[in-house]
Amino acid sequence: MTATRRTADTLFILFGLVVLWEILHRIAGETAMPAPLPTFAYLLHNLTTPRFIANLTTTGLELGYALLLAYGIGLAIGVWMGAHRLSGAVGEPILVSLYSLPKITLYPVVLLIFGLGISGKVAFGALHGVLPVALLTMGAIRAIPPVYLRAARTLQLSPWQTIATVLLPAALPEVFTGLRIGFTVTLLGVLLGEMFASKEGLGAMIMNALQLVQGEEMMTVAIVLFAFAALANGFLLFIEHRLHRRV
Amino acid sequence: MTRIGLIRLLVVAALIGALELACRSGLIDHRVIIAPSQMASALWTLLASGALDADIARTLGMIGLVIALSIVLGFAAGIAIHALPRLRRALDPFFATYYAVPVFIFYPVLIAIFGLSVMPIVLIGVATAIVAMIIATLNGLDRVPRVLGKVARVHRLGRFATALQLQLPAAAPYLFTGIKLAVSYGFIAVIAAEFILSPAGLGRDIADAYADFNNRRMYALILFLLVVATLVNAILHGLDMRFAARRSGDRS
């Protein structure tokens, strides 16, 4: 009963946002801010065009590669700094201060090193994702009760066996939180990369639409990205809650 | 300085030294990265010439405005939402996903509406930073111990005095977390907006220097922004430590 009322309230707010959009449309005018209904019609009509699918594929590909890099490097740094006490104590404040820097200032450097193609955007996305993955993995491994490690020593496990059978399963729920946050910021990094000096991908598409004054296209891309990010985050949160319950 | 602090300093110095060596020896092409000492000297010349003053004032002023607006409005919105439980429950899913969706993608939409001016940058900055402050305010008000309400009644404090003398100090650590996040998000959003598309500002300067292949200017500007952001973060971290020490001192 209360749950349905809460959902109704939430839907009501969502409806309020669409009304706000309509009001903004009335104020800003047709070219700057298209009305909600024509935009949804445009969205349904254009989602399957080859141009949109090509850009979607590019962004998806970049996100995939960037995540692979961010997760691989982030997990490696996190496990190392979590398991090796001195490295962790020395490195943690460095990682934390890097995490809160405006990384967009480093994008030109990334572009100079990796070039204007797909690899520059992948590297920039990965640069965003590595830090939260590393920091949360490190925290997760540090929080493992020392008795687990003593048990691993008693069983004479090799370092690899210790990581695979003791450290990772014990740390998994919190590590997964790092992977979820890493996903969010990697997506943001890839999109920021596409918005500057790029011709492909959804971020480039929205900048292109701005220049051509195509309000419907801008809103369409924004809505698709919002929906994708929210759904992906919801899915990852669902897995995360299950992992937390299991332990 | 502690031993770990010393090691950290050495590690950072070694990394910068290695970069310097790699650039000076030609291992890294100067068209890609210039030596750290050259970045510093370029920044020094640029600052001394006064050519950056207008853009520094503009960008830091904008960041300050965004942060101030986000903190004040976010705090007010947090108090209002806290007072309306039904609204809050309805908003919870939005707060939970807000930082998972790329809100920044709305920046071009804001430019389309308001034109290429200060307005879209301030709006996207506040949109990025304010929600962290709202969430922190809600968290803080949730954690105010119930017993403080009784204390207020025993001392016959008015509503305003209760808020100022009891509730605010109790919620302060959470509010400070919100302020820290708002500062960090404000920085990131304003610089990113300037970099992507804006009429002026340090972010725009970096993008222009990149387009002109003017590496000395570009690296000087990057160094400047990184140093400012690091300093601000260090100050906030120091304040955080001091508050934490004072709180634990209260209890003992």
Side-chain angles (χ1 to χ4, degrees):
Chain A
M1 182 62 202
T2 49
T4 50
R5 202 182 82 171
R6 196 179 305 171
T7 316
D9 283 353
T10 300
L11 287 176
F12 187 70
I13 288 177
L14 213 55
F15 178 71
L17 286 175
V18 176
V19 171
L20 200 72
W21 177 358
E22 177 72 35
I23 294 171
L24 213 58
H25 157 69
R26 297 273 163 90
I27 297 172
E30 188 60 57
T31 46
M33 190 78 191
L37 278 177
T39 305
F40 284 118
Y42 184 91
L43 189 150
L44 289 177
H45 196 251
N46 279 270
L47 271 185
T48 47
T49 57
R51 193 174 58 95
F52 192 84
I53 290 174
N55 283 312
L56 192 72
T57 316
T58 305
T59 302
L61 215 59
E62 286 165 356
L63 178 65
Y65 285 137
L67 281 175
L68 224 55
L69 278 172
Y71 286 178
I73 300 172
L75 284 172
I77 295 177
V79 169
W80 169 45
M81 287 194 164
H84 192 251
R85 200 159 284 277
L86 182 64
S87 312
V90 169
E92 186 182 4
I94 299 177
L95 289 188
V96 170
S97 60
L98 287 179
Y99 188 31
S100 49
L101 284 181
K103 275 169 277 297
I104 190 88
T105 49
L106 295 173
Y107 191 45
V109 185
V110 172
L111 286 179
L112 286 174
I113 297 173
F114 294 95
L116 277 170
I118 183 169
S119 43
K121 290 174 272 179
V122 168
F124 192 56
L127 183 68
H128 279 75
V130 159
L131 295 165
V133 174
L135 280 169
L136 278 141
T137 304
M138 179 183 71
I141 288 184
R142 272 197 205 154
I144 293 172
V147 67
Y148 289 13
L149 287 172
R150 255 178 274 150
R153 263 205 299 281
T154 313
L155 293 168
Q156 296 187 313
L157 299 183
S158 70
W160 263 121
Q161 285 174 317
T162 312
I163 290 175
T165 60
V166 180
L167 293 184
L168 271 185
L172 197 59
E174 209 182 318
V175 169
F176 201 84
T177 309
L179 299 185
R180 179 173 59 82
I181 297 172
F183 178 89
T184 298
V185 291
T186 305
L187 175 64
L188 181 67
V190 166
L191 289 174
L192 281 177
E194 287 179 348
M195 288 170 87
F196 182 80
S198 168
K199 288 195 167 55
E200 289 174 311
L202 294 178
M205 214 175 157
I206 207 166
M207 293 307 283
N208 196 39
L210 172 68
Q211 258 139 33
L212 300 174
V213 205
Q214 287 187 326
E216 280 114 342
E217 180 144 313
M218 277 165 50
M219 288 305 286
T220 297
V221 175
I223 290 171
V224 168
L225 282 169
F226 268 37
F228 168 69
L231 283 176
N233 186 61
F235 177 67
L236 293 173
L237 259 181
F238 172 73
I239 299 178
E240 196 179 316
H241 286 321
R242 295 199 68 158
L243 286 173
H244 273 287
R245 264 207 304 273
R246 201 195 51 162
V247 170
Chain B
M1 186 182 279
T2 59
R3 193 175 69 100
I4 286 171
L6 195 68
I7 297 176
R8 190 177 305 132
L9 204 67
L10 287 175
V11 168
V12 174
L15 287 176
I16 296 174
L19 184 62
E20 177 84 30
L21 219 65
C23 291
R24 294 278 177 184
S25 65
L27 198 65
I28 296 177
D29 193 330
H30 66 90
R31 279 166 300 183
V32 177
I33 301 177
I34 64 170
S37 59
Q38 289 172 319
M39 294 181 199
S41 82
L43 175 59
W44 183 251
T45 325
L46 211 52
L47 284 177
S49 73
L52 278 186
D53 292 358
D55 274 336
I56 290 177
R58 180 191 160 100
T59 298
L60 294 187
M62 202 113 78
I63 293 172
L65 177 68
V66 162
I67 292 169
L69 282 174
S70 304
I71 290 173
V72 173
L73 298 178
F75 181 61
I79 290 176
I81 294 169
H82 190 77
L84 302 163
R86 184 168 169 191
L87 175 68
R88 185 186 174 174
R89 272 196 296 276
L91 282 173
D92 266 340
F94 292 95
F95 289 147
T97 38
Y98 193 79
Y99 284 104
V101 297
V103 175
F104 191 81
I105 206 77
F106 264 130
Y107 179 56
V109 179
L110 290 174
I111 296 179
I113 298 174
F114 296 100
L116 199 54
S117 65
V118 180
M119 197 65 176
I121 301 181
V122 172
L123 282 178
I124 199 71
V126 172
T128 311
I130 195 171
V131 176
M133 191 65 203
I134 296 177
I135 295 172
T137 306
L138 289 172
N139 276 338
L141 293 176
D142 282 346
R143 304 298 197 290
V144 174
R146 274 176 196 284
V147 67
L148 287 184
K150 289 179 196 157
V151 173
R153 274 203 296 282
V154 170
H155 288 273
R156 295 170 189 240
L157 288 180
R159 207 169 161 179
F160 189 69
T162 313
L164 203 65
Q165 293 174 7
L166 294 176
Q167 287 171 319
L168 196 62
Y174 297 91
L175 297 179
F176 191 71
T177 305
I179 291 173
K180 260 198 326 195
L181 285 173
V183 170
S184 186
Y185 283 130
F187 246 99
I188 291 170
V190 169
I191 307 273
E194 283 187 348
F195 182 81
I196 303 264
L197 194 61
S198 107
L202 292 173
R204 164 73 188 262
D205 280 349
I206 293 179
D208 284 349
Y210 166 76
D212 297 342
F213 302 104
N214 190 345
N215 270 11
R216 278 181 66 82
R217 186 179 169 90
M218 186 184 90
Y219 277 106
L221 290 161
I222 291 175
L223 182 65
F224 177 76
L225 278 178
L226 294 186
V227 168
V228 171
T230 309
L231 271 180
V232 171
N233 285 330
I235 290 170
L236 288 173
H237 182 71
L239 284 175
D240 206 7
M241 286 294 159
R242 191 186 278 187
F243 288 154
R246 194 193 291 172
R247 273 198 304 281
S248 59
D250 278 347
R251 275 188 215 114
S252 59

